[in-house]
Structures are given as structure tokens and as C-alpha cells.
Amino acid sequence: MKAFFIVALLFIAANDFRIMEYNGSEVRTTFDVDSKFYGTYKGRKSGYLELKQDGTGIYHYDVFGFAPASCKKQPIQIEWGFLIDENDKVVQFTREYGMSYPILFKSTGETKFQGCQKEVLLDFIMEYKSGQLGVSSSDDWTKN
């Protein structure tokens, strides 16, 4: 049994899987995805999302919104992962505009999402029929 557990852990690490908790449930995710998803998504203002190949990144709000004074209004350091199904395939949905990929962002620092109230944010990376990539939580963040 012990050997099986070690082999299972090696398999998970080798395939860049990560378990994240979302709304009280454990969710399987991966950051081992097509390289087109890595990089910086930004728009007209100062906010952006950066997804690094190692499964870390930065989520920086354009407008921070309502937050308690104790919430530092700074870029959010994250771990991220696309949701995967029971066959270890990235979950994707066909949409009118193209494809939608659910992704979890987990804060790894003091600053959290939604006014420092949520540690994990569910979002979607949108792939338009044109091939351009965007972020659902921002009205204009696209990958250049």
C-alpha cells in the first residue's frame, strides 16, 4: 500500500496535477496545459493576470472595490489550475463565442479575492473563435 501511495504521488507530480479546495470540495486541477495559455492577460487599465508555466502567477485588480482597511490593495500572488475531469482532461465548454475553460486561482499571500474575503476564485479563460484568449472576470483582459 505504501509503495502504491508513493507511485501515485509521483504520477500526480509528474503530470502537474494539484488538488484545490473550492466551496468545501476538493477539485482536481492542472497547470500542465498548452503553452498558449501561459503569459499575461491585460487590458486598457493597469490590471492584469499572469499565468506562469510552473502553476504560479499574479492576479492584479484594475479596481479593487470594497475591502476592509486591513486588506492590502496589492497584486494577489496565486497558484492556479484548470479543472480536469475523471480522465485527466482539461474541462472545456463550447460557447457561442468559442470555448470556455474553468480555472481556479488560489491566493498564496495576505491579499485575497473579493475584498480579501475569498481565498479561491473560480474564473474562466475564454478562447474566441479568432484564437484570441480572454479572462471572464475582466471585461477587457486579453492575452497579447
Side-chain angles (χ1 to χ4, degrees), residues 45-114:
K45 299 177 186 173
S46 63
Y48 64 91
L49 169 66
E50 180 181 4
L51 300 180
K52 297 179 184 176
Q53 190 172 354
D54 68 357
T56 65
I58 299 171
Y59 190 106
H60 185 257
Y61 283 111
D62 288 322
V63 177
F64 216 88
F66 300 105
S70 61
C71 182
K72 294 181 181 178
K73 296 179 179 177
Q74 62 190 14
I76 303 170
Q77 302 297 316
I78 61 170
E79 290 182 343
W80 62 271
F82 283 96
L83 275 62
I84 53 175
D85 64 18
E86 61 279 350
N87 298 314
D88 298 333
K89 302 289 183 204
V90 173
V91 174
Q92 59 184 1
F93 301 105
T94 302
R95 302 289 188 222
E96 193 173 296
Y97 56 79
M99 300 300 292
S100 176
Y101 303 87
I103 187 171
L104 288 177
F105 303 128
K106 179 182 178 186
S107 168
T108 60
E110 290 181 48
T111 306
K112 301 190 182 337
F113 299 97
Q114 298 178 344

Side-chain angles (χ1 to χ4, degrees), residues 6 10 15 20-21 36-37 51 55-57 61 65 74-75 100 103 109 113 131 137:
I6 291 170
L10 289 173
N15 290 300
M20 291 190 185
E21 188 172 319
K36 69 183 177 186
F37 293 109
L51 300 180
T56 65
Y61 283 111
Q74 62 190 14
S100 176
I103 187 171
F113 299 97
S137 62

Side-chain angles (χ1 to χ4, degrees), residues 16-18 29-33 38 52-55 80-82:
D16 300 323
F17 294 138
R18 176 183 287 150
T29 70
T30 186
F31 52 92
D32 183 14
V33 294
Y38 304 134
K52 297 179 184 176
Q53 190 172 354
D54 68 357
W80 62 271
F82 283 96

